[in-house]
Structures are given as structure tokens and as C-alpha cells.
């Protein structure tokens, strides 16, 4: 035993209703690392996140957080264990009726007896970590997608939980904002070295510079679990495709060469000539 | 997961009668499940109301939305309801030469039936649908999951303040409806049809007893719990709907919340009235 | 925040005023303990009389019916709450009357000349029961009237 484990899954089968998404998954995530969980859409990434956070209960198997089995805890201990996680949801999941500062301080205002002024000060500090202190009085709908995610990150960081889970931290962002988010996660790692950061993403490029451990999910099982260089040198056809999809895609080129038959194109132009101006 | 679709199990068998019985059976099971889940949801909400001291700002916000927001509507509907009963009652009673009873007719029909039922239905349409849609959107944008992960009980945060606010607002709105309606009857009976205002009000005074007012308030309280439970429940479990995903499911949830609330209001109205008589 | 509290305040004020009107004025809910004394009267028939009906002397309301029960001899025992400023003698007569042909029933009291006054828990022994129009008509039609 060299490092304590932060998250451990033992033979977990997960899904919803009677629909199995992930079969017999075992995974160990040591404390204090940045871990990237990758996979195509529908590969079970979000399912994994929902089960780790205790929103859904696995059909079989056990989930350990900080060495304690999540589902054998009762009541208050379960909540305590869940409280050791900060979660950044896909689009931030900010409450629309509250301002940014109220969102960040929500956990404190709901669960503690701290006064409003203190909570506001704390919220402003965490907002300043994500460079959004000037937007404290804005409502979530008044912010851009990237800003909402950063507010979500600030909310997840309150009280510096030992585990930070991020669902698609960079998806839907332009390259500059995505890079900013990556840097932000890295700087959080520097600021809070003991924190385990799990980033769930389908986006390979943004993740490979931040992750110390890479897990690839495919069709309900773990296709790869190791460091990034190992993933680059793999010979597995699925993984190769997964990596190279980013670099070049035969399908993409094929699609560019395709063209609409001339008579159909002319038909389309003719039918639209009253609607679209074309010189 | 978005691609996880639940498929309705259709029993396959040779005979049509067996299919029919199986279909009816699964419908009954579904209904029993739904009723049970809704009742549990209601008890969860009522239990969470115990913490009302920590929810005061949220309760105030909801009273403003449910109560103050419906004020103008209730005054308008109440006034016209009272006026039309005044008109109808006057012409019916004049056939028996007993127009003196108009006050009783207006006041009793308003206090016993129309005020609680129409108020509840109006507030369902205005505030109940908004509740259902708001909670539904919170569900599909992960906001409720975010609350749960932060160990903030959605029952405490979302449902209980709405229940408390409705339990305060419904009786007040119902009383307002009744009083405005009685005034509406006064407008038609006394001002337009030249009845004596003394007879109108003394008839009201002598015919309405405490039991009528109590029954009216009991109905208002029951309808408050009913409307909030149904509307919040439909929004809260919008992600489990089979008839749509995302925005469509929220729309369907809102529709079914309003329809179901109205049906239950009328059913419970009958039940309470039959106990009360 | 001030605006929110103001709107809620307005709503509560209007609502409570209407609730108060309904309960206290129309529902006659006794907020404070009732101002009066209770006397009893036994009738052979009270058909149509309801709790809350008024008690009148010469057509002036002086109290109301607070309870109707049946005693061991199958007589209707009616509790009358009489206002404190009205004194009744023990030879008063209580009768059940109808306002108009099909109107509400009420209790009419005519005061006698006795020196003894009724107090809390007293009984009006001289009573006249409800006038039954149907039996009167049938007596008239079928010649039971002697």
C-alpha cells in the first residue's frame, strides 16, 4: 500500500431501472492525483459520475470513498462522505433564481448558521479563484457558458473538498475558454495539492496535459487504465481510433469529397430563389 | 444517460382478452404506484415543513408568487362569479316570489362550493403550472442533482416552502374570493335589480353559520396540499416521464399537473362535502 | 427585499381582513367567551330549528340557540344563550315560530309577570312546540278539528 485510495470501485454494475450501462467495473484512484475519465458519448461516463456521487445506487459491487464504503454508511455519515466531494456538473447546474454569489455560498447558507456577510465574503473569495469576483451579482442566465462552468467550479471548491469531480469541464467551450478551464484545474491542483481531481470528458486534447491517470470507458467496460503515454503507444484498435479521431478522420475527408447531384442542387436553388437572395 | 430509454413492456400472447386483461392490470399497477409515490412525496414535503424557521425568506418569496400574484385574478373572477350568481339567482327566485333569499343563495353557494373550488383551480392554472415547470427545468438541468450532491435536501429547499406558502395563501385567497363574490352579488341584486340592501345582508348574516365557513377553510387547506403535491411531484420526476425528453417532458408534466390537480380538486370537493353534510 | 416584504404584507392584510369578515361577522365565531347566560327549554317537537337560530322577544333578537339534544323522555332540549342585559322570569313562555310561510325557524320568548328571575342553567318550563303546517292542513281536510 503506497498511497491511500481516494475513490475505489469494486466489481460495480451500474445502470438505471433494469438497464445496465456499466458491467462489473473495478477502478482505483489514488489520492492527490488528476485523473481523466474518457469515452465516447453513451459510454457510461455520466453514469459513473452519478454513482460515485451517490445519486444512484449500483446494482451490485461496492463504492469506497476515502476508504469507507458509501452505501453501508447510514444517514448522517453518508452525507458526510458525500460532503467530501465537490461536483462540477456539465453546464454548471447553477440555480437560476439565485445570483452567482448566492449560488457559490448556497451550501453554507443552507446547512450552516453563518451570517450573510461571512458567507458573502467566502463566496467572493472562491469566485476570485475562478476570476469572476466582478460577476457576483449577476444571475446565471446573464453569463456565458464558460463563465457558468467556472461559477460551478467555484461552488464545488467551497471548503476545499478532498475530491473534486468535473463532468465535461471543457465541452461546449471555445478553444480559449477551454484552455482557460484546463489551466484553472491545474492551478487548483497547485493550490490544493492534496485534492483528487477527476475530470470526465470526451475531449482528448484538453485533458492530456492535466491528467496523471487516464481511464477510457467503452461500451460498459474499462478499455484502458494507465498513464497517457501508454495510451499513445497502444495497439488496441478501438483506442487507436479514439486517439486518432482527433488528428485525422477518413470519414471526414470522404464527406468533404461528396457532392450533391447537379440536378438536385439546381432544384433546391430554384425552389429557394424567392426566399434567399443570390446574385 | 440520455440514450437510456425505458421500453414499455407489452405482453405478448395469443388471445385478445388476455392482452386486454394484462393491459388493464399493468395500468392498475401503474396507477397504484403513482398514487403511492405521490403520497410519499406529500408526506416528505409535510415533514420537511417542520424546519420552516430556516426557510422564511423562501416562504415569503412563494407567498408573493402564489398569493400576491393571484390577487388581481381572484378579485376579478370572484366579482364576476358573484355577479352572475346574483343574476341567475334573482331570476330563479323571482319565479317563487322569494327574491329576499338572494343573499343566502349567493353567500352559501360561494362559501360552501365556488370560492374554494374556483380559487384552487385558478391558482393551479397560475401558480401550480409555474411550480411544475420551474421544478421540471431544475430537474432536467441537473440543478436538483446538484442540490442533492451538496447534501441540501430538495424537499427542504424546494417543496416545503411552497407547501407552507400555499397553506397560508389558499385560505386567504378563498376568503377574498368569497367576500368579493358576495359584493358582486350585491352589485347585481341591490344596485342593478333594486333589491333592498338591508334584506340582502341580513339574509347572508342569518343563513351563514360557522360550519359553512369552517368547511370552506378546510377545503382551502386540503386543496393547497393537493395542488402543491401534484404540481411539484410532476415537475420533480419529469426525468422519469415516458412521453418525452427534455423541454417536451417539462411541457407534458405541466399539462398533466394542471389537469390532474383540477380533477383531484373536484373529487376531493365531493368527498369533503359529503363528510360535512 | 423590501419590495418583497411589502407585497406579501399587502396580500396578508387583504386576505386576513376577508378571513376575519367571514369567520367573525358571518360565521359568528366567538373570539372571546360569549357574553350571556344559558337557559334550557324542553319541546315535544322542534322540527326545523337549527343551532344558531335566533331567540327573540317581540321580534327583537336577544340571543341564540347554542345546542339541541334529546333527553331520556324523548323531549328536545334546547340550550338558549341569552344576552346578559335581558332578564327572563321563570314563567316565560318559549315557542318555536317560523318567519314567513317557508322561512327559518326561531325561538320566540314572551315574558311573564313572576318575581323570580332565571339564572345560568335555569329552565323555561312553559313551551309551545313547532307549528306543523302539514298536520294542520290534514286535520282541517280530514275533519279532526273538534
Amino acid at each position: 500500500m503506497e498511497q491511500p485510495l481516494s475513490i475505489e470501485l469494486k466489481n460495480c454494475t451500474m445502470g438505471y431501472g433494469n438497464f445496465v450501462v456499466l458491467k462489473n467495473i473495478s477502478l482505483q484512484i489514488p489520492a492527490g492525483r488528476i485523473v481523466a475519465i474518457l469515452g465516447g458519448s453513451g459510454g457510461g461516463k455520466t453514469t459513473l459520475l452519478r454513482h460515485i456521487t451517490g445519486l444512484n445506487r449500483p446494482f451490485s459491487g461496492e463504492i469506497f470513498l476515502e476508504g469507507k464504503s458509501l452505501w453501508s454508511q447510514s444517514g448522517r455519515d453518508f452525507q458526510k462522505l458525500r460532503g467530501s466531494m465537490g461536483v462540477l456538473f456539465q453546464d454548471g447546474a447553477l440555480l437560476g433564481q439565485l445570483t452567482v454569489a448566492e449560488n457559490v455560498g448556497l451550501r453554507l447558507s443552507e446547512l450552516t448558521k453563518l451570517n450573510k456577510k461571512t458567507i458573502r465574503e467566502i463566496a467572493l473569495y472562491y469566485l476570485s479563484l475562478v476570476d469572476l469576483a466582478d460577476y457576483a451579482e449577476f444571475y446565471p442566465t446573464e453569463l456565458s457558458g464558460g463563465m457558468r462552468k467556472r461559477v460551478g467550479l467555484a461552488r464545488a471548491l467551497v471548503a476545499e473538498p478532498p475530491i473534486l469531480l468535473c463532468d465535461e469541464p471543457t465541452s461546449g467551450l471555445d478553444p480559449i475558454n477551454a484552455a482557460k478551464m484546463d489551466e484553472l484545474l491545474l492551478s487548483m491542483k497547485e493550490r490544493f495539492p492534496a485534492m483528487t481531481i477527476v475530470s470526465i470528458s470526451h475531449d482528448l486534447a484538453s485533458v492530456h496535459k492535466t491528467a496523471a491517470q487516464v481511464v477510457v470507458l467503452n461500451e460498459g467496460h474499462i478499455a484502458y487504465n494507465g498513464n497517457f503515454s501508454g495510451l499513445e503507444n497502444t495497439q488496441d484498435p478501438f483506442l487507436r481510433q479514439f486517439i486518432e479521431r482527433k488528428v485525422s478522420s477518413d470519414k471526414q475527408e470522404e464527406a468533404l469529397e461528396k457532392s450533391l447531384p447537379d440536378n438536385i442542387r439546381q432544384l433546391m436553388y430554384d425552389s429557394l430563389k424567392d426566399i434567399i437572395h443570390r446574385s | 444517460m440520455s440514450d437510456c430509454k425505458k421500453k414499455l413492456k407489452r405482453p405478448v400472447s395469443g388471445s385478445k382478452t388476455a392482452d386486454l386483461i394484462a393491459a388493464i392490470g399493468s395500468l392498475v399497477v401503474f396507477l397504484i404506484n403513482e398514487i403511492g409515490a405521490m403520497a410519499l412525496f406529500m408526506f416528505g414535503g409535510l415533514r420537511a415543513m417542520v424546519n420552516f424557521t430556516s426557510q422564511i425568506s423562501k416562504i415569503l418569496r412563494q407567498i408573493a408568487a402564489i398569493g400576491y400574484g393571484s390577487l388581481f385574478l381572484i378579485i376579478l373572477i370572484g366579482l364576476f362569479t358573484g355577479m352572475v350568481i346574483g343574476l341567475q339567482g334573482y331570476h330563479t327566485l323571482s319565479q317563487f316570489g322569494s327574491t329576499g333569499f338572494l343573499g343566502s343563495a349567493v353567500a352559501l353557494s360561494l362559501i360552501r362550493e365556488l370560492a374554494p373550488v374556483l380559487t384552487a383551480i385558478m391558482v393551479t392554472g397560475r401558480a401550480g403550472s409555474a411550480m411544475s415547470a420551474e421544478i421540471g427545468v431544475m430537474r432536467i438541468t441537473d440543478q436538483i442533482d446538484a442540490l442533492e450532491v451538496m447534501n441540501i435536501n430538495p424537499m427542504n429547499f424546494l417543496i416545503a416552502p411552497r407547501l407552507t406558502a400555499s397553506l397560508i395563501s389558499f385560505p386567504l385567497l378563498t376568503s377574498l374570493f368569497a367576500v368579493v363574490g358576495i359584493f358582486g352579488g350585491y352589485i347585481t341584486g341591490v344596485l342593478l335589480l333594486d333589491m333592498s340592501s338591508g334584506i340582502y345582508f341580513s339574509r347572508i348574516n342569518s343563513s351563514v353559520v360557522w360550519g359553512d365557513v369552517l368547511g370552506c377553510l378546510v377545503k382551502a387547506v386540503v386543496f393547497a396540499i393537493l395542488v402543491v403535491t401534484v404540481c411539484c411531484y410532476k415537475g420533480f420526476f419529469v426525468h422519469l416521464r415516458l412521453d418525452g425528453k427534455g423541454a417536451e417532458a417539462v411541457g407534458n408534466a405541466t399539462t398533466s399537473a394542471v389537469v390532474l390537480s383540477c380533477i383531484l380538486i373536484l373529487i376531493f370537493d365531493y368527498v369533503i362535502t359529503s363528510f360535512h353534510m | 427585499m423590501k419590495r418583497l416584504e411589502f407585497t406579501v404584507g399587502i396580500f396578508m392584510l387583504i386576505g386576513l381582513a376577508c378571513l376575519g369578515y367571514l369567520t367573525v361577522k358571518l360565521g359568528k365565531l366567538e373570539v372571546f367567551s360569549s357574553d350571556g347566560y344559558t337557559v334550557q327549554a324542553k319541546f315535544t317537537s322542534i322540527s326545523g330549528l337549527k343551532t344558531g337560530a335566533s331567540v327573540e322577544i317581540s321580534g327583537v333578537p336577544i340571543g341564540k340557540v347554542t345546542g339541541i339534544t334529546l333527553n331520556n323522555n324523548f323531549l328536545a332540549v334546547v340550550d338558549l344563550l341569552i344576552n346578559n342585559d335581558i332578564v327572563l322570569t321563570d314563567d316565560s313562555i318559549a315557542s318555536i315560530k317560523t318567519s314567513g310561510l317557508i322561512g327559518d325557524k326561531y325561538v320566540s320568548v314572551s315574558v311573564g309577570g313572576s318575581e323570580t328571575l332565571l339564572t345560568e342553567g335555569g329552565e323555561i318550563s312553559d313551551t309551545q312546540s313547532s307549528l306543523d303546517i302539514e298536520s294542520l292542513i290534514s286535520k282541517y281536510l280530514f275533519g279532526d278539528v273538534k
Side-chain angles (χ1 to χ4, degrees), chain A residues 1 5 84 189 223 240:
Chain A
M1 213 50 181
L5 292 177
S84 66
K189 183 74 198 125
R240 282 245 64 86

Side-chain angles (χ1 to χ4, degrees), chain B residues 79-257:
Chain B
L79 192 68
F80 277 97
T81 309
M83 282 171 72
V84 86
I85 305 174
L87 205 58
Q88 289 278 10
Y90 185 87
H91 287 297
T92 312
L93 288 171
S94 67
Q95 292 176 357
F96 305 103
S98 46
T99 49
F101 283 92
L102 186 68
S104 309
V106 171
L108 288 181
S109 55
L110 276 170
I111 291 173
R112 284 185 185 164
E113 286 301 327
L114 293 171
V117 171
L118 285 180
T119 304
I121 289 178
M122 285 300 139
V123 177
T124 303
R126 230 200 122 268
S129 58
M131 260 181 231
S132 189
E134 187 185 348
I135 293 176
V137 168
M138 290 185 76
R139 169 62 80 185
I140 63 167
T141 53
D142 293 338
Q143 293 179 35
I144 293 178
D145 288 338
L147 285 177
E148 255 183 74
V149 167
M150 287 191 282
N151 286 330
I152 298 169
N153 186 348
M155 283 292 174
N156 286 339
F157 189 81
L158 295 173
I159 315 301
R162 285 171 168 78
L163 265 175
T164 314
S166 299
L167 283 175
I168 294 171
S169 302
F170 269 62
L172 298 185
L173 286 173
T174 305
S175 319
L176 176 68
F177 189 105
V179 170
V180 171
I182 288 172
F183 179 70
Y186 172 84
I187 291 178
T188 29
V190 178
L191 300 185
L192 300 181
L193 298 169
D194 281 340
M195 262 181 65
S196 137
S197 104
I199 290 180
Y200 182 77
F201 282 112
S202 74
R203 274 292 168 202
I204 292 176
N205 231 324
S206 64
S207 58
V208 178
V209 294
W210 170 235
D212 296 324
V213 180
L214 185 68
C216 168
L217 297 180
V218 166
K219 281 181 184 178
V221 167
V222 171
F223 295 163
I225 297 175
L226 208 66
V227 168
V228 175
T229 303
V230 171
C231 292
C232 289
Y233 174 88
K234 290 286 177 186
F236 200 80
F237 293 109
V238 72
H239 59 305
L240 299 179
R241 293 189 77 83
L242 301 172
D243 58 358
K245 287 273 169 246
E248 190 193 8
V250 175
N252 291 340
T254 309
T255 309
S256 74

Side-chain angles (χ1 to χ4, degrees), chain A residues 26-48:
Chain A
S26 293
L27 181 63
Q28 295 179 329
I29 296 177
R33 271 196 186 175
I34 294 185
V35 180
I37 296 179
L38 302 174
S41 57
K45 302 187 301 287
T46 306
T47 309
L48 189 65

Side-chain angles (χ1 to χ4, degrees), chain B residues 8-86:
Chain B
L8 272 176
K9 278 187 197 140
R10 287 199 184 283
V12 183
S13 96
S15 103
K16 271 187 183 166
T17 12
D19 275 355
L20 187 68
I21 291 169
I24 292 171
S26 60
L27 182 69
V28 169
V29 170
F30 172 78
L31 281 179
I32 291 174
N33 276 331
E34 185 90 346
I35 291 169
M38 231 180 259
L40 287 177
F41 187 79
M42 182 183 79
F43 289 128
L46 291 176
R47 205 177 50 195
M49 275 175 60
V50 178
N51 307 321
F52 68 91
T53 44
S54 60
Q55 302 164 350
I56 284 179
S57 69
K58 286 190 280 280
I59 294 172
L60 284 183
R61 206 185 276 217
Q62 290 301 325
I63 293 181
I66 301 168
Y68 182 80
S70 310
L71 212 53
F72 179 69
L73 181 75
I74 291 298
I75 289 176
L76 199 70
I77 305 272
L79 192 68
F80 277 97
T81 309
M83 282 171 72
V84 86
I85 305 174

